Amino acid sequence: MESQRTFLFIGLLLVSYLLFQEWNNDYNQPKIDTSATTQVTTQNTPSATSQNDVPVSSQGDVPMAATKAIRSVITITTDVLAVQIDTKGGDIVEAKLLKHAETHGSEDPYLLLGEFEGKQYISQSGLIGLNGPDASQDGRPVYTSSNTQYQLNGDELRVPLTFVDAKGVEFTKTYVFKAGKYDVNLEYSVNNATADPVQVQLYTQVKRTIQAKGSMVDQTYLGTAYGTAEEPYEKYSFDDMVEANLNKNTLGGYVAFIQHYFVSAWVPAQDSNNTIYTAVRNGQGIMGLKGEPVNVQANSAANISATYYMGPKDGDALEQIHPDLDLTVDYGWLWFISQPLFVLLKFLYGLIGNWGLAIIAITILVKSALYPLTKAQYTSMAKMRMLQPKMQALKERYGDDRQKFGQATMELYRKEKVNPMGGCLPLLLQMPIFLALFYVFLESTELRHAEFMFWLTDLSAADPYYVLPILFGASMFLTQKLQPMTVTDPMQQKMMTYMPVVFTIFFLIFPFPSGLVLYWLVSNLITIAQMLIIYRGMEKKGLKVR
């Protein structure tokens, strides 16, 4: 936000993007055809799952039969998670993040998985295949557990769920929780004590009610994503899911459901071949993975495992689970700039201990590093302004002869050693860094509910008293008054005059995160200081700037 061109460029870019998103929300919502979907009535439990959630196995369709067996809910509490597991299917039907508040200042933990506002978001897993209990005509298995409540007291907590089918094959589904971790290991043990071999196939999936985008300022991605051996990170939106079912084979891979600040993801064994799939049933989007069929010989056992993550978008923790899973911290196409900037921001926070001060510090460092470009930009603008009288003389001399006027203008530029693009090129080089920082502040979960000082108690929320937007508008106005006006067209001049007012109103109407507005404000203040230094140096050389 450095000059009239910057204001206009960013304004048009931002407004156009938001208006397009709003139009897309209103007129291009997913159209869900549920006529071909079988409705299954279930008990009024937290899971509300049905047999048709189970994917098709490698051997054929899964029968659409529901069990009437009574199931219960198991509660698991660790230092960071409060989880509920439905014994029918052994699905995770609720997950609360104990270290993250639901809203700022609230004592209620953040509800990541569960049922809320008529919507559902749960994690499912099971065994299908020829002999998988989840492919049974009796419906999904109802597991038994020695306890209904589990509490993590040490470094690890194992929660085993057991089911024995009609043939006597024992299936043990164990969730392994660890202290301080949001990733949970899923371990399936198949103990075949019968005289016949059995074949099972692991599936893991996440199911979420399809919902539209929010307001114009709620532009963060809400939907699914996946990674394969060839594609490290690919989004697959609800619209994509409604349009066509995904079916990809890969070695390893992962699937994820992404929302602002948080993510849940299934990561299978990376040395096995898996199928990534999607489905839409009863207005709910499903993305999951199916593993290879596993043969368990008579009087033998087999183990199958996967990892499920449910928590904040912590890039370091996600990368430890899968080398590409940290890409769900989606910095957009400028991720290669955003990632090092975020590392720098975290380093500054480690030194200062305040995210607001860290934002100010990184803004100072970035603006200082870009000072040569800023100097080139304003020097070029000042020289262009000084040429305006000569340009006007050329225009009067050649009148409507555009060809001669253009040739004379280029000769004037060459003689005066002025590059007409000198003010634009530095701006274009700075824009990627500006946009990269925009995504850093928008996407970083560390800024959620982070306090700065005084009335700014949540850098991820809008300024409640509108102080920052007003100061930002004032800084734009001062910047405009200090810099030379290079445009001569009266209409453009009028547009530039009202630009600070337009931006101030824009920021008041659409509540951008205060951390982002703080960055823009500090950036403007530093720009003002740099302008004064640059112009003072030019005036000492006898150049009239303003």
Side-chain angles (χ1 to χ4, degrees):
M1 313 267 259
E2 323 243 335
S3 66
Q4 293 106 327
R5 290 191 183 96
T6 313
F7 297 148
L8 188 58
F9 181 80
I10 295 175
L12 292 175
L13 185 68
L14 192 59
V15 172
S16 299
Y17 173 71
L18 293 176
L19 289 175
F20 171 77
Q21 289 285 358
E22 189 69 7
W23 174 87
N24 189 60
N25 293 338
D26 292 337
Y27 298 101
N28 197 29
Q29 294 299 333
K31 295 179 176 59
I32 304 168
D33 182 10
T34 60
S35 60
T37 304
T38 304
Q39 301 288 341
V40 180
T41 304
T42 61
Q43 300 177 33
N44 187 21
T45 67
S47 68
T49 61
S50 60
Q51 180 67 10
N52 68 343
D53 292 334
V54 179
V56 176
S57 69
S58 300
Q59 288 71 35
D61 295 337
V62 175
M64 291 292 197
T67 180
K68 296 182 179 179
I70 299 174
R71 78 273 194 119
S72 60
V73 174
I74 300 171
T75 302
I76 300 101
T77 305
T78 72
D79 56 333
V80 295
L81 290 169
V83 174
Q84 289 190 359
I85 297 176
D86 189 351
T87 56
K88 181 179 180 180
D91 297 332
I92 299 177
V93 296
E94 183 177 286
K96 294 180 179 180
L97 310 183
L98 302 181
K99 299 294 184 180
H100 297 264
E102 183 70 33
T103 56
H104 184 255
S106 170
E107 295 182 358
D108 297 326
Y110 184 79
L111 180 63
L112 179 63
L113 303 182
E115 295 189 4
F116 40 87
E117 299 178 354
K119 302 178 179 65
Q120 187 185 60
Y121 182 17
I122 64 175
S123 172
Q124 300 176 305
S125 57
L127 295 177
I128 50 178
L130 289 175
N131 308 105
D134 290 271
S136 169
Q137 292 189 9
D138 294 329
R140 301 193 67 199
V142 177
Y143 290 87
T144 59
S145 176
S146 58
N147 298 300
T148 58
Q149 293 188 345
Y150 290 84
Q151 176 78 45
L152 174 66
N153 295 317
D155 295 332
E156 183 178 283
L157 172 64
R158 300 181 66 87
V159 180
L161 309 173
T162 304
F163 173 78
V164 180
D165 68 9
K167 295 182 179 180
V169 181
E170 183 180 62
F171 302 89
T172 303
K173 184 177 186 178
T174 304
Y175 287 99
V176 183
F177 297 83
K178 296 180 181 179
K181 300 289 187 179
Y182 292 97
D183 51 293
V184 180
N185 292 334
L186 171 65
E187 299 176 357
Y188 260 110
S189 175
V190 182
N191 185 13
N192 181 17
T194 70
D196 299 318
V198 299
Q199 186 184 86
V200 296
Q201 184 181 12
L202 175 67
Y203 79 91
T204 55
Q205 64 184 29
V206 180
K207 180 176 72 170
R208 180 164 186 158
T209 302
I210 294 177
Q211 56 190 94
K213 287 285 292 181
S215 64
M216 292 179 69
V217 294
D218 181 21
Q219 298 302 325
T220 54
Y221 179 69
L222 174 64
T224 63
Y226 66 90
T228 68
E230 294 78 24
E231 302 167 297
Y233 175 70
E234 290 291 330
K235 292 179 181 178
Y236 204 76
S237 68
F238 286 135
D239 288 0
D240 296 329
M241 199 179 294
V242 170
E243 184 176 340
N245 288 333
L246 184 68
N247 186 37
K248 279 183 173 286
N249 296 319
T250 181
L251 178 67
Y254 68 87
V255 297
F257 258 82
I258 301 173
Q259 65 189 73
H260 199 194
Y261 298 128
F262 302 100
V263 61
S264 72
W266 273 110
V267 180
Q270 295 301 292
D271 58 354
S272 64
N273 292 311
N274 301 288
T275 301
I276 298 175
Y277 63 89
T278 63
V280 175
R281 299 189 179 112
N282 300 324
Q284 294 177 320
I286 298 173
M287 174 174 272
L289 290 144
K290 289 185 291 187
E292 297 177 302
V294 176
N295 296 307
V296 186
Q297 300 302 320
N299 298 309
S300 64
N303 297 312
I304 313 171
S305 63
T307 300
Y308 182 62
Y309 182 91
M310 43 184 166
K313 290 181 179 177
D314 184 336
D316 294 335
L318 293 169
E319 190 175 15
Q320 291 178 8
I321 302 171
H322 188 283
D324 298 325
L325 194 57
D326 64 320
L327 296 177
T328 58
V329 186
D330 193 354
Y331 292 130
W333 62 279
L334 292 171
W335 59 269
F336 55 92
I337 301 177
S338 296
Q339 285 185 345
L341 286 175
F342 177 67
V343 171
L344 176 59
L345 183 65
K346 285 184 67 175
F347 172 76
L348 294 172
Y349 172 76
L351 295 177
I352 302 172
N354 183 289
W355 284 108
L357 294 178
I359 290 174
I360 294 175
I362 196 174
T363 307
I364 294 173
L365 291 177
V366 170
K367 293 291 292 183
S368 299
L370 295 176
Y371 178 72
L373 293 177
T374 304
K375 184 177 180 180
Q377 177 185 350
Y378 283 109
T379 300
S380 177
M381 290 174 60
K383 290 182 177 179
M384 287 293 293
R385 183 182 184 280
M386 288 185 290
L387 289 180
Q388 290 302 315
K390 295 182 179 181
M391 292 285 292
Q392 186 62 33
L394 290 176
K395 186 177 293 185
E396 293 175 355
R397 179 179 179 182
Y398 294 105
D400 296 332
D401 193 337
R402 293 188 177 183
Q403 182 177 359
K404 290 185 178 181
F405 174 73
Q407 292 174 348
T409 300
M410 296 306 297
E411 178 63 23
L412 177 64
Y413 288 155
R414 186 192 62 79
K415 181 179 178 180
E416 298 292 338
K417 297 180 180 180
V418 173
N419 182 0
M421 299 299 294
C424 297
L425 183 59
L427 173 61
L428 293 177
L429 294 175
Q430 295 174 65
M431 283 304 298
I433 297 178
F434 166 81
L435 292 174
L437 277 172
F438 173 87
Y439 278 105
V440 167
F441 298 143
L442 189 67
E443 186 73 1
S444 300
T445 187
E446 288 81 359
L447 296 181
R448 184 178 186 265
H449 299 170
E451 295 188 5
F452 177 33
M453 60 177 61
F454 307 125
W455 71 97
L456 296 175
T457 59
D458 184 359
L459 290 171
S460 67
D463 184 341
Y465 301 111
Y466 307 104
V467 176
L468 287 182
I470 293 174
L471 291 177
F472 172 78
S475 68
M476 279 189 66
F477 179 79
L478 182 58
T479 302
Q480 188 184 78
K481 289 297 181 183
L482 288 175
Q483 65 189 9
M485 180 70 74
T486 58
V487 297
T488 57
D489 181 71
M491 181 61 68
Q492 292 186 41
Q493 289 182 350
K494 186 174 295 185
M495 287 178 59
M496 295 303 176
T497 302
Y498 287 106
M499 190 65 69
V501 178
V502 172
F503 263 81
T504 302
I505 296 175
F506 186 80
F507 274 55
L508 292 175
I509 295 176
F510 302 112
F512 286 90
S514 56
L516 186 62
V517 184
L518 175 66
Y519 159 70
W520 283 333
L521 171 61
V522 175
S523 179
N524 273 3
L525 295 177
I526 297 173
T527 297
I528 291 171
Q530 291 178 340
M531 287 171 58
L532 293 175
I533 295 172
I534 294 169
Y535 291 159
R536 188 173 295 126
M538 295 180 67
E539 289 170 352
K540 286 182 179 180
K541 296 179 180 180
L543 299 175
K544 185 179 179 181
V545 180
R546 291 165 290 174

